[in-house]
Amino acid sequence: RPATMNAFELISTSQGLNLGILFEK
Amino acid sequence: MGCFQSKARRQYPGHEDLVLLASQTAFSISEVEALFELFKSISSSVIDDGLINKEEFQLALFKSGKKENLFANRIFALFDVKQKGVIDFGDFVRALNVFHPNAPHEDKVGFSFKLYDLDGTGFIERKEVKQMLIAILCESEMRLSDETVELILNKTFLETDVNQDGKIDKAEWENFVSRNPSLLKIMTLPYLRDITTTFPSFVFNSEVDDIAT
């Protein structure tokens, strides 16, 4: 399945890009 | 036993700073003050000097300051616009402004382009996408063969690199994200709409008499 995905779709799932976590207490 | 410098720096932003930041962003003065509550907790987690260093940033994102992450490093570098190695409160507010639900779409597109243009050449190159792909595979502990990685890269560049010159320019990126809006989801933080409710303690340190959001 990953082979059918676009690289950017995979990249955007990185924890390092999830700034929302800063607001979760 | 504190050091004078760290004490001096740990001040609350003055009224003029708040007004200036509010005027430069989509945030109200009260919202800027609420963001300061968040900034304060992150910037004091390792060294209480009123600045966010890379370790503190990683600690806030991963609950571990030791975890190196390519994407967290990129976000840190983009927040640290003056390349000082630390994020000050102004940097923090102005960068988060791009993530506001009401921020202009083109700002989000521009920020995401810079995020993926790792070496800042003005193009997202195949080697950069490969580097990021390998990083996300390591992060998620997903194992893919080199052949599969190359297949993903081929497919990605077929979809994005319209003029087929081997790199993605800004116009190609704009075109691609307009067809795939879900890729910009990471560029919007709904929390920023409600920041004064998330950090209500800002009222105790408020510089404004009439709290309006």
Side-chain angles (χ1 to χ4, degrees), chain A residues 2-25, chain B residues 38 60-62 69 71 116 129 132 136 139 152 155-156 159 176 183 186 189 191-192 195 198-199:
Chain A
T4 66
M5 289 181 85
N6 184 290
F8 294 107
E9 285 176 57
L10 286 166
I11 291 164
S12 65
T13 63
S14 170
Q15 178 64 43
L17 297 178
N18 178 20
L19 292 187
I21 203 159
L22 302 179
F23 301 86
E24 289 166 8
K25 291 182 185 174
Chain B
L38 172 62
L61 281 181
F62 302 106
N69 179 287
F71 305 103
Y116 298 140
V129 184
M132 291 188 276
I136 185 73
E139 189 186 320
I152 295 173
K155 177 185 151 59
T156 303
E159 288 174 356
F176 180 62
L183 289 177
I186 53 162
L189 297 169
Y191 302 91
L192 291 174
I195 193 77
T198 313
F199 299 100

Side-chain angles (χ1 to χ4, degrees), chain B residues 5 45 112 148:
Chain B
Q5 198 176 12
S45 63
S112 64
T148 308

Side-chain angles (χ1 to χ4, degrees), chain B residues 70-135:
Chain B
L70 174 71
F71 305 103
N73 284 349
R74 271 313 282 158
I75 295 264
F76 185 89
L78 291 177
F79 272 52
D80 175 20
V81 280
K82 289 168 238 124
Q83 307 286 297
K84 304 182 297 306
V86 284
I87 299 168
D88 65 30
F89 183 54
D91 297 332
F92 186 70
V93 175
R94 281 184 286 265
L96 280 180
N97 184 47
V98 179
F99 292 81
H100 194 284
N102 297 343
H105 176 77
E106 58 268 31
D107 291 357
K108 294 176 189 288
V109 176
F111 193 100
S112 64
F113 184 80
K114 281 196 247 172
L115 186 64
Y116 298 140
D117 175 16
L118 298 179
D119 58 8
T121 53
F123 298 98
I124 304 173
E125 291 155 276
R126 186 175 169 117
K127 63 172 190 219
E128 290 169 322
V129 184
K130 186 170 183 174
Q131 191 184 340
M132 291 188 276
L133 198 49
I134 289 169

Side-chain angles (χ1 to χ4, degrees), chain B residues 16-208:
Chain B
E16 279 176 32
D17 300 324
L18 295 170
V19 171
L20 182 68
L21 283 169
S23 74
Q24 291 171 339
T25 62
F27 300 114
S28 65
I29 293 178
S30 297
E31 287 170 330
V32 174
E33 290 182 310
L35 281 175
F36 188 68
E37 297 297 308
L38 172 62
F39 180 82
K40 218 169 36 174
S41 75
I42 301 174
S43 66
S44 63
S45 63
V46 179
I47 310 167
D48 194 0
D49 60 355
L51 298 163
I52 299 176
N53 63 32
K54 187 147 346 139
E55 189 185 353
E56 289 167 331
F57 193 68
Q58 284 167 344
L59 196 58
L61 281 181
F62 302 106
K63 315 298 170 210
S64 158
K66 301 283 174 248
K67 191 165 178 177
E68 271 291 320
N69 179 287
L70 174 71
F71 305 103
N73 284 349
R74 271 313 282 158
I75 295 264
F76 185 89
L78 291 177
F79 272 52
D80 175 20
V81 280
K82 289 168 238 124
Q83 307 286 297
K84 304 182 297 306
V86 284
I87 299 168
D88 65 30
F89 183 54
D91 297 332
F92 186 70
V93 175
R94 281 184 286 265
L96 280 180
N97 184 47
V98 179
F99 292 81
H100 194 284
N102 297 343
H105 176 77
E106 58 268 31
D107 291 357
K108 294 176 189 288
V109 176
F111 193 100
S112 64
F113 184 80
K114 281 196 247 172
L115 186 64
Y116 298 140
D117 175 16
L118 298 179
D119 58 8
T121 53
F123 298 98
I124 304 173
E125 291 155 276
R126 186 175 169 117
K127 63 172 190 219
E128 290 169 322
V129 184
K130 186 170 183 174
Q131 191 184 340
M132 291 188 276
L133 198 49
I134 289 169
I136 185 73
L137 293 175
C138 287
E139 189 186 320
S140 58
E141 294 176 357
M142 198 192 295
R143 287 181 197 281
L144 292 181
S145 66
D146 286 349
E147 197 189 355
T148 308
V149 167
E150 292 302 325
L151 278 175
I152 295 173
L153 289 170
N154 288 347
K155 177 185 151 59
T156 303
F157 275 77
L158 209 57
E159 288 174 356
T160 50
D161 180 19
V162 178
N163 66 8
Q164 292 293 297
D165 64 352
K167 53 194 185 184
I168 302 161
D169 61 33
K170 186 80 185 293
E172 287 169 334
W173 181 250
E174 284 166 2
N175 182 293
F176 180 62
V177 293
S178 72
R179 286 182 283 120
N180 298 276
S182 66
L183 289 177
L184 283 191
K185 221 175 141 193
I186 53 162
M187 289 305 308
T188 293
L189 297 169
Y191 302 91
L192 291 174
R193 233 193 251 291
D194 228 7
I195 193 77
T196 51
T197 321
T198 313
F199 299 100
S201 57
F202 82 92
V203 295
F204 301 119
N205 305 310
S206 183
E207 284 281 326
V208 284

